[in-house]
mmCIF file of all heavy atoms in Angstrom:
data_model
loop_
_atom_site.group_PDB
_atom_site.id
_atom_site.type_symbol
_atom_site.label_atom_id
_atom_site.label_comp_id
_atom_site.label_asym_id
_atom_site.label_seq_id
_atom_site.Cartn_x
_atom_site.Cartn_y
_atom_site.Cartn_z
ATOM 1 N N PHE A 148 -2.514 6.225 -6.869
ATOM 2 C CA PHE A 148 -3.451 5.157 -7.215
ATOM 3 C C PHE A 148 -4.525 5.680 -8.167
ATOM 4 O O PHE A 148 -5.109 6.744 -7.931
ATOM 5 C CB PHE A 148 -4.078 4.627 -5.918
ATOM 6 C CG PHE A 148 -5.126 3.576 -6.130
ATOM 7 C CD1 PHE A 148 -4.822 2.377 -6.743
ATOM 8 C CD2 PHE A 148 -6.435 3.777 -5.701
ATOM 9 C CE1 PHE A 148 -5.788 1.402 -6.938
ATOM 10 C CE2 PHE A 148 -7.411 2.809 -5.884
ATOM 11 C CZ PHE A 148 -7.083 1.613 -6.511
ATOM 12 N N GLY A 149 -4.796 4.889 -9.230
ATOM 13 C CA GLY A 149 -5.722 5.326 -10.261
ATOM 14 C C GLY A 149 -7.156 5.535 -9.784
ATOM 15 O O GLY A 149 -7.933 6.222 -10.436
ATOM 16 N N GLY A 150 -7.504 4.939 -8.652
ATOM 17 C CA GLY A 150 -8.874 5.082 -8.155
ATOM 18 C C GLY A 150 -9.107 6.398 -7.423
ATOM 19 O O GLY A 150 -10.223 6.655 -6.964
ATOM 20 N N GLU A 176 -11.631 -1.277 -15.667
ATOM 21 C CA GLU A 176 -12.219 -2.015 -14.550
ATOM 22 C C GLU A 176 -13.107 -3.099 -15.154
ATOM 23 O O GLU A 176 -13.524 -2.985 -16.311
ATOM 24 C CB GLU A 176 -13.043 -1.061 -13.679
ATOM 25 C CG GLU A 176 -12.216 -0.177 -12.748
ATOM 26 C CD GLU A 176 -11.586 -0.956 -11.619
ATOM 27 O OE1 GLU A 176 -12.292 -1.378 -10.698
ATOM 28 O OE2 GLU A 176 -10.363 -1.146 -11.655
ATOM 29 N N ASN A 178 -16.173 -3.780 -14.964
ATOM 30 C CA ASN A 178 -17.503 -3.400 -15.436
ATOM 31 C C ASN A 178 -17.527 -2.137 -16.281
ATOM 32 O O ASN A 178 -18.551 -1.760 -16.812
ATOM 33 C CB ASN A 178 -18.445 -3.232 -14.236
ATOM 34 C CG ASN A 178 -17.831 -2.345 -13.151
ATOM 35 O OD1 ASN A 178 -16.690 -1.877 -13.305
ATOM 36 N ND2 ASN A 178 -18.567 -2.098 -12.088
ATOM 37 N N ARG A 179 -16.375 -1.453 -16.389
ATOM 38 C CA ARG A 179 -16.394 -0.219 -17.176
ATOM 39 C C ARG A 179 -14.976 0.274 -17.472
ATOM 40 O O ARG A 179 -14.021 -0.086 -16.775
ATOM 41 C CB ARG A 179 -17.155 0.885 -16.437
ATOM 42 C CG ARG A 179 -16.508 1.321 -15.135
ATOM 43 C CD ARG A 179 -17.487 2.127 -14.312
ATOM 44 N NE ARG A 179 -16.834 2.860 -13.234
ATOM 45 C CZ ARG A 179 -16.444 2.333 -12.089
ATOM 46 N NH1 ARG A 179 -16.568 1.036 -11.858
ATOM 47 N NH2 ARG A 179 -15.886 3.084 -11.147
ATOM 48 N N ILE A 181 -12.582 3.465 -17.468
ATOM 49 C CA ILE A 181 -12.558 4.750 -16.764
ATOM 50 C C ILE A 181 -11.595 5.685 -17.485
ATOM 51 O O ILE A 181 -10.398 5.391 -17.594
ATOM 52 C CB ILE A 181 -12.104 4.559 -15.303
ATOM 53 C CG1 ILE A 181 -13.120 3.666 -14.583
ATOM 54 C CG2 ILE A 181 -11.946 5.894 -14.582
ATOM 55 C CD1 ILE A 181 -12.697 3.237 -13.213
ATOM 56 N N TYR A 183 -9.083 8.294 -17.779
ATOM 57 C CA TYR A 183 -8.162 8.922 -16.829
ATOM 58 C C TYR A 183 -7.858 10.373 -17.204
ATOM 59 O O TYR A 183 -7.569 11.193 -16.345
ATOM 60 C CB TYR A 183 -6.823 8.156 -16.796
ATOM 61 C CG TYR A 183 -6.768 7.023 -15.792
ATOM 62 C CD1 TYR A 183 -7.877 6.219 -15.543
ATOM 63 C CD2 TYR A 183 -5.594 6.740 -15.100
ATOM 64 C CE1 TYR A 183 -7.811 5.173 -14.636
ATOM 65 C CE2 TYR A 183 -5.514 5.699 -14.191
ATOM 66 C CZ TYR A 183 -6.631 4.917 -13.962
ATOM 67 O OH TYR A 183 -6.565 3.887 -13.058
ATOM 68 N N ALA A 291 -0.609 -9.720 -5.853
ATOM 69 C CA ALA A 291 -1.846 -9.284 -6.506
ATOM 70 C C ALA A 291 -2.341 -8.030 -5.789
ATOM 71 O O ALA A 291 -3.218 -8.087 -4.946
ATOM 72 C CB ALA A 291 -2.887 -10.389 -6.465
ATOM 73 N N SER A 292 -1.714 -6.922 -6.111
ATOM 74 C CA SER A 292 -2.092 -5.640 -5.521
ATOM 75 C C SER A 292 -2.076 -4.627 -6.666
ATOM 76 O O SER A 292 -2.280 -5.001 -7.821
ATOM 77 C CB SER A 292 -1.092 -5.280 -4.416
ATOM 78 O OG SER A 292 -1.401 -4.030 -3.859
ATOM 79 N N ASP A 293 -1.848 -3.378 -6.355
ATOM 80 C CA ASP A 293 -1.828 -2.336 -7.383
ATOM 81 C C ASP A 293 -0.551 -1.520 -7.169
ATOM 82 O O ASP A 293 -0.157 -1.288 -6.015
ATOM 83 C CB ASP A 293 -3.064 -1.434 -7.222
ATOM 84 C CG ASP A 293 -3.232 -0.457 -8.366
ATOM 85 O OD1 ASP A 293 -2.427 0.501 -8.467
ATOM 86 O OD2 ASP A 293 -4.175 -0.640 -9.170
ATOM 87 N N TRP A 296 -0.256 1.228 -4.431
ATOM 88 C CA TRP A 296 -0.101 0.983 -2.989
ATOM 89 C C TRP A 296 1.320 0.537 -2.690
ATOM 90 O O TRP A 296 2.049 0.116 -3.580
ATOM 91 C CB TRP A 296 -1.085 -0.084 -2.501
ATOM 92 C CG TRP A 296 -2.507 0.169 -2.893
ATOM 93 C CD1 TRP A 296 -3.258 -0.583 -3.731
ATOM 94 C CD2 TRP A 296 -3.358 1.257 -2.463
ATOM 95 N NE1 TRP A 296 -4.522 -0.043 -3.847
ATOM 96 C CE2 TRP A 296 -4.602 1.083 -3.091
ATOM 97 C CE3 TRP A 296 -3.173 2.353 -1.621
ATOM 98 C CZ2 TRP A 296 -5.676 1.962 -2.891
ATOM 99 C CZ3 TRP A 296 -4.234 3.231 -1.431
ATOM 100 C CH2 TRP A 296 -5.457 3.032 -2.048
ATOM 101 N N VAL A 298 2.335 -2.142 -1.311
ATOM 102 C CA VAL A 298 2.566 -3.550 -1.662
ATOM 103 C C VAL A 298 3.010 -3.647 -3.125
ATOM 104 O O VAL A 298 3.902 -4.419 -3.478
ATOM 105 C CB VAL A 298 1.295 -4.396 -1.424
ATOM 106 C CG1 VAL A 298 1.504 -5.828 -1.888
ATOM 107 C CG2 VAL A 298 0.897 -4.371 0.046
ATOM 108 N N LYS A 320 -9.300 -8.724 -11.122
ATOM 109 C CA LYS A 320 -9.802 -8.856 -9.747
ATOM 110 C C LYS A 320 -9.853 -10.339 -9.412
ATOM 111 O O LYS A 320 -9.897 -11.184 -10.316
ATOM 112 C CB LYS A 320 -11.212 -8.276 -9.646
ATOM 113 C CG LYS A 320 -11.303 -6.810 -10.021
ATOM 114 C CD LYS A 320 -11.499 -5.913 -8.825
ATOM 115 C CE LYS A 320 -11.448 -4.465 -9.257
ATOM 116 N NZ LYS A 320 -11.700 -3.538 -8.200
ATOM 117 N N PRO A 321 -9.898 -10.660 -8.128
ATOM 118 C CA PRO A 321 -9.938 -12.078 -7.759
ATOM 119 C C PRO A 321 -11.217 -12.784 -8.219
ATOM 120 O O PRO A 321 -11.232 -13.998 -8.376
ATOM 121 C CB PRO A 321 -9.844 -12.056 -6.231
ATOM 122 C CG PRO A 321 -10.117 -10.653 -5.812
ATOM 123 C CD PRO A 321 -9.780 -9.776 -6.964
ATOM 124 N N VAL A 322 -12.274 -12.020 -8.406
ATOM 125 C CA VAL A 322 -13.535 -12.606 -8.894
ATOM 126 C C VAL A 322 -14.035 -11.746 -10.059
ATOM 127 O O VAL A 322 -13.717 -10.566 -10.141
ATOM 128 C CB VAL A 322 -14.620 -12.633 -7.780
ATOM 129 C CG1 VAL A 322 -14.246 -13.607 -6.694
ATOM 130 C CG2 VAL A 322 -14.866 -11.248 -7.199
ATOM 131 N N PHE A 343 1.023 -13.123 -2.946
ATOM 132 C CA PHE A 343 0.835 -12.185 -1.843
ATOM 133 C C PHE A 343 -0.394 -11.357 -2.196
ATOM 134 O O PHE A 343 -0.450 -10.726 -3.249
ATOM 135 C CB PHE A 343 2.087 -11.323 -1.759
ATOM 136 C CG PHE A 343 2.065 -10.191 -0.769
ATOM 137 C CD1 PHE A 343 3.262 -9.579 -0.417
ATOM 138 C CD2 PHE A 343 0.904 -9.727 -0.182
ATOM 139 C CE1 PHE A 343 3.284 -8.523 0.487
ATOM 140 C CE2 PHE A 343 0.918 -8.685 0.713
ATOM 141 C CZ PHE A 343 2.108 -8.082 1.042
ATOM 142 N N THR A 344 -1.393 -11.367 -1.326
ATOM 143 C CA THR A 344 -2.566 -10.533 -1.583
ATOM 144 C C THR A 344 -3.207 -10.140 -0.252
ATOM 145 O O THR A 344 -2.679 -10.440 0.813
ATOM 146 C CB THR A 344 -3.556 -11.253 -2.531
ATOM 147 O OG1 THR A 344 -4.562 -10.328 -2.942
ATOM 148 C CG2 THR A 344 -4.215 -12.454 -1.875
ATOM 149 N N ALA A 345 -4.352 -9.465 -0.332
ATOM 150 C CA ALA A 345 -5.035 -9.037 0.893
ATOM 151 C C ALA A 345 -6.127 -10.060 1.231
ATOM 152 O O ALA A 345 -6.716 -10.667 0.325
ATOM 153 C CB ALA A 345 -5.654 -7.663 0.673
ATOM 154 N N THR A 347 -9.090 -9.715 1.905
ATOM 155 C CA THR A 347 -10.351 -9.397 1.255
ATOM 156 C C THR A 347 -10.489 -10.137 -0.080
ATOM 157 O O THR A 347 -11.585 -10.544 -0.471
ATOM 158 C CB THR A 347 -10.499 -7.864 1.080
ATOM 159 O OG1 THR A 347 -11.778 -7.578 0.609
ATOM 160 C CG2 THR A 347 -9.486 -7.282 0.123
ATOM 161 N N ALA A 348 -9.372 -10.341 -0.779
ATOM 162 C CA ALA A 348 -9.419 -11.055 -2.050
ATOM 163 C C ALA A 348 -9.888 -12.489 -1.811
ATOM 164 O O ALA A 348 -10.680 -13.037 -2.587
ATOM 165 C CB ALA A 348 -8.042 -11.051 -2.706
ATOM 166 N N ALA A 351 -13.534 -12.628 -1.068
ATOM 167 C CA ALA A 351 -14.302 -12.519 -2.315
ATOM 168 C C ALA A 351 -14.346 -13.869 -3.034
ATOM 169 O O ALA A 351 -15.407 -14.299 -3.509
ATOM 170 C CB ALA A 351 -13.673 -11.448 -3.211
ATOM 171 N N ALA A 376 -1.663 -9.828 3.704
ATOM 172 C CA ALA A 376 -1.398 -8.627 4.519
ATOM 173 C C ALA A 376 -2.268 -7.484 4.034
ATOM 174 O O ALA A 376 -2.998 -7.618 3.055
ATOM 175 C CB ALA A 376 0.069 -8.222 4.445
ATOM 176 N N GLY A 377 -2.179 -6.364 4.749
ATOM 177 C CA GLY A 377 -2.920 -5.166 4.363
ATOM 178 C C GLY A 377 -4.078 -4.891 5.300
ATOM 179 O O GLY A 377 -4.571 -3.778 5.390
ATOM 180 N N VAL A 512 -10.360 -0.469 4.082
ATOM 181 C CA VAL A 512 -11.468 -0.913 3.234
ATOM 182 C C VAL A 512 -10.903 -1.748 2.089
ATOM 183 O O VAL A 512 -10.181 -1.221 1.244
ATOM 184 C CB VAL A 512 -12.244 0.311 2.675
ATOM 185 C CG1 VAL A 512 -13.416 -0.140 1.817
ATOM 186 C CG2 VAL A 512 -12.706 1.220 3.798
ATOM 187 N N ALA A 513 -11.207 -3.025 2.090
ATOM 188 C CA ALA A 513 -10.675 -3.954 1.075
ATOM 189 C C ALA A 513 -9.152 -3.836 0.978
ATOM 190 O O ALA A 513 -8.586 -3.814 -0.111
ATOM 191 C CB ALA A 513 -11.325 -3.700 -0.288
ATOM 192 N N GLY A 514 -8.502 -3.725 2.151
ATOM 193 C CA GLY A 514 -7.041 -3.624 2.167
ATOM 194 C C GLY A 514 -6.541 -2.241 1.770
ATOM 195 O O GLY A 514 -5.341 -2.031 1.658
ATOM 196 N N HIS A 515 -7.450 -1.307 1.538
ATOM 197 C CA HIS A 515 -7.033 0.058 1.191
ATOM 198 C C HIS A 515 -7.142 0.936 2.422
ATOM 199 O O HIS A 515 -8.159 0.944 3.106
ATOM 200 C CB HIS A 515 -7.914 0.645 0.079
ATOM 201 C CG HIS A 515 -8.012 -0.211 -1.135
ATOM 202 N ND1 HIS A 515 -9.167 -0.349 -1.862
ATOM 203 C CD2 HIS A 515 -7.094 -0.990 -1.744
ATOM 204 C CE1 HIS A 515 -8.954 -1.173 -2.879
ATOM 205 N NE2 HIS A 515 -7.709 -1.574 -2.824
ATOM 206 N N LEU A 544 -17.169 -8.649 3.195
ATOM 207 C CA LEU A 544 -16.209 -8.770 2.096
ATOM 208 C C LEU A 544 -15.002 -7.863 2.294
ATOM 209 O O LEU A 544 -13.855 -8.302 2.268
ATOM 210 C CB LEU A 544 -16.917 -8.431 0.775
ATOM 211 C CG LEU A 544 -16.019 -8.419 -0.458
ATOM 212 C CD1 LEU A 544 -15.505 -9.821 -0.754
ATOM 213 C CD2 LEU A 544 -16.758 -7.868 -1.667
ATOM 214 N N LYS A 545 -15.259 -6.583 2.515
ATOM 215 C CA LYS A 545 -14.167 -5.602 2.528
ATOM 216 C C LYS A 545 -13.532 -5.402 3.900
ATOM 217 O O LYS A 545 -12.637 -4.587 4.051
ATOM 218 C CB LYS A 545 -14.665 -4.261 1.986
ATOM 219 C CG LYS A 545 -15.157 -4.377 0.548
ATOM 220 C CD LYS A 545 -15.335 -3.052 -0.137
ATOM 221 C CE LYS A 545 -15.693 -3.285 -1.596
ATOM 222 N NZ LYS A 545 -15.710 -2.097 -2.407
ATOM 223 N N ARG A 575 -17.314 10.283 -3.980
ATOM 224 C CA ARG A 575 -16.732 9.663 -5.183
ATOM 225 C C ARG A 575 -15.983 10.706 -6.005
ATOM 226 O O ARG A 575 -14.923 10.438 -6.546
ATOM 227 C CB ARG A 575 -17.831 9.049 -6.070
ATOM 228 C CG ARG A 575 -18.362 7.736 -5.566
ATOM 229 C CD ARG A 575 -19.469 7.240 -6.472
ATOM 230 N NE ARG A 575 -18.967 6.589 -7.675
ATOM 231 C CZ ARG A 575 -18.652 5.295 -7.762
ATOM 232 N NH1 ARG A 575 -18.759 4.524 -6.702
ATOM 233 N NH2 ARG A 575 -18.231 4.773 -8.881
ATOM 234 N N ALA A 580 -13.834 6.530 -6.141
ATOM 235 C CA ALA A 580 -14.699 5.376 -5.893
ATOM 236 C C ALA A 580 -14.086 4.457 -4.847
ATOM 237 O O ALA A 580 -14.792 3.757 -4.118
ATOM 238 C CB ALA A 580 -14.911 4.619 -7.203
ATOM 239 N N VAL A 581 -12.754 4.485 -4.758
ATOM 240 C CA VAL A 581 -12.059 3.580 -3.841
ATOM 241 C C VAL A 581 -12.467 3.803 -2.380
ATOM 242 O O VAL A 581 -12.352 2.906 -1.543
ATOM 243 C CB VAL A 581 -10.524 3.732 -4.045
ATOM 244 C CG1 VAL A 581 -10.035 5.095 -3.601
ATOM 245 C CG2 VAL A 581 -9.766 2.631 -3.371
ATOM 246 N N ALA A 583 -15.340 3.901 -1.270
ATOM 247 C CA ALA A 583 -16.438 2.948 -1.056
ATOM 248 C C ALA A 583 -17.443 3.424 -0.007
ATOM 249 O O ALA A 583 -17.982 2.623 0.756
ATOM 250 C CB ALA A 583 -15.884 1.564 -0.678
ATOM 251 N N LYS A 585 -20.875 4.199 0.640
ATOM 252 C CA LYS A 585 -22.161 4.013 -0.040
ATOM 253 C C LYS A 585 -23.315 4.242 0.920
ATOM 254 O O LYS A 585 -24.465 4.237 0.523
ATOM 255 C CB LYS A 585 -22.238 2.593 -0.629
ATOM 256 C CG LYS A 585 -21.063 2.308 -1.575
ATOM 257 C CD LYS A 585 -21.458 1.590 -2.840
ATOM 258 C CE LYS A 585 -20.434 1.809 -3.934
ATOM 259 N NZ LYS A 585 -19.910 0.654 -4.563
HETATM 260 N N1 COA B 10 -9.063 3.070 -11.066
HETATM 261 C C1 COA B 10 -10.316 3.535 -10.991
HETATM 262 N N2 COA B 10 -11.255 3.053 -10.152
HETATM 263 C C2 COA B 10 -10.896 2.032 -9.371
HETATM 264 C C3 COA B 10 -9.603 1.495 -9.374
HETATM 265 C C4 COA B 10 -8.647 2.058 -10.268
HETATM 266 N N3 COA B 10 -7.398 1.637 -10.319
HETATM 267 N N4 COA B 10 -9.537 0.497 -8.459
HETATM 268 C C5 COA B 10 -10.756 0.411 -7.894
HETATM 269 N N5 COA B 10 -11.574 1.324 -8.452
HETATM 270 C C6 COA B 10 -12.994 1.527 -8.151
HETATM 271 C C7 COA B 10 -13.771 0.255 -8.407
HETATM 272 O O1 COA B 10 -14.196 0.158 -9.735
HETATM 273 C C8 COA B 10 -14.953 0.408 -7.448
HETATM 274 O O2 COA B 10 -15.869 1.303 -8.030
HETATM 275 P P1 COA B 10 -17.472 1.102 -7.859
HETATM 276 O O3 COA B 10 -17.790 1.569 -6.475
HETATM 277 O O4 COA B 10 -18.039 2.004 -8.901
HETATM 278 O O5 COA B 10 -17.759 -0.341 -8.107
HETATM 279 C C9 COA B 10 -14.340 1.133 -6.252
HETATM 280 O O6 COA B 10 -13.140 1.774 -6.748
HETATM 281 C C10 COA B 10 -13.952 0.221 -5.113
HETATM 282 O O7 COA B 10 -12.997 -0.710 -5.588
HETATM 283 P P2 COA B 10 -12.537 -2.002 -4.781
HETATM 284 O O8 COA B 10 -12.199 -1.632 -3.394
HETATM 285 O O9 COA B 10 -11.475 -2.706 -5.550
HETATM 286 O O10 COA B 10 -13.864 -2.845 -4.681
HETATM 287 P P3 COA B 10 -14.507 -3.885 -5.657
HETATM 288 O O11 COA B 10 -15.879 -4.122 -5.127
HETATM 289 O O12 COA B 10 -14.366 -3.491 -7.075
HETATM 290 O O13 COA B 10 -13.631 -5.227 -5.420
HETATM 291 C C11 COA B 10 -12.290 -6.726 -4.087
HETATM 292 C C12 COA B 10 -13.511 -5.802 -4.139
HETATM 293 C C13 COA B 10 -12.192 -7.346 -2.738
HETATM 294 C C14 COA B 10 -12.450 -7.817 -5.147
HETATM 295 C C15 COA B 10 -11.043 -5.880 -4.411
HETATM 296 O O14 COA B 10 -10.938 -4.818 -3.505
HETATM 297 C C16 COA B 10 -9.748 -6.656 -4.406
HETATM 298 O O15 COA B 10 -9.420 -7.390 -5.302
HETATM 299 N N6 COA B 10 -8.912 -6.466 -3.388
HETATM 300 C C17 COA B 10 -7.697 -7.262 -3.381
HETATM 301 C C18 COA B 10 -6.509 -6.808 -2.812
HETATM 302 C C19 COA B 10 -5.959 -5.449 -2.961
HETATM 303 O O16 COA B 10 -5.942 -4.906 -4.031
HETATM 304 N N7 COA B 10 -5.439 -4.908 -1.856
HETATM 305 C C20 COA B 10 -4.735 -3.688 -1.816
HETATM 306 C C21 COA B 10 -3.483 -3.676 -1.027
HETATM 307 S S1 COA B 10 -2.649 -5.213 -0.783
#
Side-chain angles (χ1 to χ4, degrees):
F148 177 61
E176 282 289 288
N178 50 359
R179 64 195 195 281
I181 297 172
Y183 271 37
S292 178
D293 189 289
W296 309 114
V298 176
K320 301 253 175 177
V322 292
F343 174 165
T344 190
T347 187
V512 181
H515 307 142
L544 176 66
K545 299 194 174 188
R575 283 178 81 87
V581 67
K585 304 223 158 127

